[in-house]
CSV table of all heavy atoms in Angstrom, one decimal:
chain,number,residue,atom,x,y,z
A,329,GLU,N,50.7,63.4,94.9
A,329,GLU,CA,50.6,63.9,96.2
A,329,GLU,C,49.3,63.4,96.9
A,329,GLU,O,49.3,63.0,98.1
A,329,GLU,CB,50.6,65.4,96.2
A,329,GLU,CG,51.0,66.1,97.5
A,329,GLU,CD,52.4,65.6,98.0
A,329,GLU,OE1,53.3,65.4,97.2
A,329,GLU,OE2,52.5,65.4,99.2
A,330,ASP,N,48.2,63.5,96.2
A,330,ASP,CA,46.9,63.2,96.8
A,330,ASP,C,46.8,61.7,97.2
A,330,ASP,O,46.3,61.4,98.3
A,330,ASP,CB,45.7,63.5,95.9
A,330,ASP,CG,45.8,62.9,94.5
A,330,ASP,OD1,46.9,62.5,94.1
A,330,ASP,OD2,44.8,62.8,93.8
A,331,MET,N,47.4,60.9,96.4
A,331,MET,CA,47.4,59.4,96.8
A,331,MET,C,48.4,59.2,98.0
A,331,MET,O,48.0,58.4,98.9
A,331,MET,CB,47.9,58.6,95.6
A,331,MET,CG,46.8,58.6,94.5
A,331,MET,SD,47.4,57.8,93.0
A,331,MET,CE,47.3,56.0,93.4
A,332,ALA,N,49.5,59.8,98.0
A,332,ALA,CA,50.4,59.7,99.1
A,332,ALA,C,49.8,60.2,100.4
A,332,ALA,O,49.9,59.6,101.5
A,332,ALA,CB,51.7,60.4,98.8
A,333,ASP,N,49.1,61.3,100.3
A,333,ASP,CA,48.4,61.8,101.4
A,333,ASP,C,47.3,60.9,102.0
A,333,ASP,O,47.2,60.6,103.1
A,333,ASP,CB,47.6,63.1,101.0
A,333,ASP,CG,48.3,64.4,101.5
A,333,ASP,OD1,49.3,64.2,102.2
A,333,ASP,OD2,47.8,65.5,101.0
A,334,TYR,N,46.5,60.4,101.0
A,334,TYR,CA,45.4,59.4,101.4
A,334,TYR,C,46.0,58.2,102.1
A,334,TYR,O,45.5,57.7,103.1
A,334,TYR,CB,44.6,59.0,100.2
A,334,TYR,CG,43.6,57.9,100.5
A,334,TYR,CD1,42.5,58.2,101.3
A,334,TYR,CD2,43.8,56.6,100.2
A,334,TYR,CE1,41.6,57.2,101.7
A,334,TYR,CE2,43.0,55.6,100.5
A,334,TYR,CZ,41.8,55.9,101.2
A,334,TYR,OH,41.0,54.9,101.6
A,335,LYS,N,47.2,57.7,101.6
A,335,LYS,CA,47.8,56.6,102.2
A,335,LYS,C,48.6,56.9,103.5
A,335,LYS,O,49.1,56.0,104.2
A,335,LYS,CB,48.7,55.9,101.2
A,335,LYS,CG,48.0,55.2,100.1
A,335,LYS,CD,48.9,54.6,99.1
A,335,LYS,CE,48.2,53.9,97.9
A,335,LYS,NZ,47.6,52.6,98.3
A,336,GLY,N,48.7,58.2,103.8
A,336,GLY,CA,49.4,58.6,105.0
A,336,GLY,C,50.9,58.4,104.9
A,336,GLY,O,51.6,58.1,105.9
A,337,LEU,N,51.5,58.7,103.7
A,337,LEU,CA,52.9,58.5,103.5
A,337,LEU,C,53.7,59.8,103.5
A,337,LEU,O,54.9,59.7,103.5
A,337,LEU,CB,53.2,57.8,102.2
A,337,LEU,CG,52.3,56.6,101.8
A,337,LEU,CD1,52.7,56.0,100.4
A,337,LEU,CD2,52.4,55.5,102.8
A,338,THR,N,53.0,60.9,103.6
A,338,THR,CA,53.6,62.2,103.3
A,338,THR,C,54.9,62.4,104.1
A,338,THR,O,55.9,62.9,103.6
A,338,THR,CB,52.6,63.3,103.5
A,338,THR,OG1,51.4,62.9,102.9
A,338,THR,CG2,53.1,64.6,102.9
A,339,ARG,N,54.8,62.1,105.4
A,339,ARG,CA,55.9,62.4,106.3
A,339,ARG,C,57.2,61.7,106.1
A,339,ARG,O,58.3,62.1,106.4
A,339,ARG,CB,55.5,62.3,107.8
A,339,ARG,CG,54.6,63.5,108.2
A,339,ARG,CD,54.0,63.2,109.5
A,339,ARG,NE,52.9,64.1,109.7
A,339,ARG,CZ,53.0,65.3,110.1
A,339,ARG,NH1,54.1,65.8,110.5
A,339,ARG,NH2,51.9,66.1,110.2
A,340,PHE,N,57.1,60.5,105.6
A,340,PHE,CA,58.3,59.7,105.4
A,340,PHE,C,58.6,59.2,104.0
A,340,PHE,O,59.6,58.5,103.8
A,340,PHE,CB,58.3,58.5,106.4
A,340,PHE,CG,57.1,57.7,106.4
A,340,PHE,CD1,56.7,56.9,105.3
A,340,PHE,CD2,56.2,57.7,107.5
A,340,PHE,CE1,55.6,56.1,105.3
A,340,PHE,CE2,55.0,56.9,107.5
A,340,PHE,CZ,54.7,56.2,106.4
A,341,ARG,N,57.8,59.7,103.1
A,341,ARG,CA,58.1,59.1,101.7
A,341,ARG,C,59.5,59.5,101.2
A,341,ARG,O,60.2,58.6,100.7
A,341,ARG,CB,57.0,59.6,100.8
A,341,ARG,CG,57.4,60.3,99.6
A,341,ARG,CD,56.5,60.1,98.5
A,341,ARG,NE,55.7,61.3,98.2
A,341,ARG,CZ,55.0,61.4,97.1
A,341,ARG,NH1,55.1,60.4,96.2
A,341,ARG,NH2,54.3,62.5,96.9
A,342,SER,N,59.9,60.8,101.4
A,342,SER,CA,61.2,61.1,100.7
A,342,SER,C,62.3,60.4,101.5
A,342,SER,O,63.3,60.0,100.9
A,342,SER,CB,61.4,62.6,100.6
A,342,SER,OG,61.3,63.2,101.9
A,343,ALA,N,62.2,60.3,102.8
A,343,ALA,CA,63.2,59.5,103.6
A,343,ALA,C,63.3,58.1,103.1
A,343,ALA,O,64.4,57.5,103.0
A,343,ALA,CB,62.9,59.6,105.1
A,344,ALA,N,62.1,57.5,102.8
A,344,ALA,CA,62.1,56.1,102.4
A,344,ALA,C,62.7,56.0,101.0
A,344,ALA,O,63.5,55.1,100.8
A,344,ALA,CB,60.6,55.6,102.3
A,345,VAL,N,62.5,56.9,100.1
A,345,VAL,CA,63.1,56.9,98.8
A,345,VAL,C,64.6,57.0,99.0
A,345,VAL,O,65.4,56.2,98.4
A,345,VAL,CB,62.6,58.0,97.9
A,345,VAL,CG1,63.3,58.0,96.6
A,345,VAL,CG2,61.1,57.8,97.6
A,346,ALA,N,65.1,57.9,99.8
A,346,ALA,CA,66.5,58.1,100.0
A,346,ALA,C,67.1,56.9,100.5
A,346,ALA,O,68.2,56.4,100.1
A,346,ALA,CB,66.7,59.3,100.9
A,347,TRP,N,66.4,56.3,101.5
A,347,TRP,CA,67.0,55.0,102.1
A,347,TRP,C,67.1,53.9,101.0
A,347,TRP,O,68.1,53.3,100.9
A,347,TRP,CB,66.1,54.6,103.3
A,347,TRP,CG,66.7,53.4,104.0
A,347,TRP,CD1,67.5,53.5,105.1
A,347,TRP,CD2,66.7,52.0,103.7
A,347,TRP,NE1,67.9,52.3,105.5
A,347,TRP,CE2,67.4,51.4,104.7
A,347,TRP,CE3,66.0,51.3,102.7
A,347,TRP,CZ2,67.6,50.0,104.7
A,347,TRP,CZ3,66.2,49.9,102.7
A,347,TRP,CH2,66.9,49.3,103.7
A,348,LEU,N,66.1,53.8,100.3
A,348,LEU,CA,66.1,52.7,99.2
A,348,LEU,C,67.2,53.0,98.2
A,348,LEU,O,67.9,52.0,97.8
A,348,LEU,CB,64.7,52.6,98.5
A,348,LEU,CG,63.6,52.0,99.4
A,348,LEU,CD1,62.2,52.4,98.7
A,348,LEU,CD2,63.7,50.5,99.5
Side-chain angles (χ1 to χ4, degrees):
Chain A
E329 204 56 41
D330 55 340
M331 292 172 74
D333 256 353
Y334 173 73
K335 288 176 182 286
L337 314 181
T338 315
R339 282 172 199 272
F340 46 70
R341 123 149 106 165
S342 55
V345 173
W347 189 92
L348 288 164

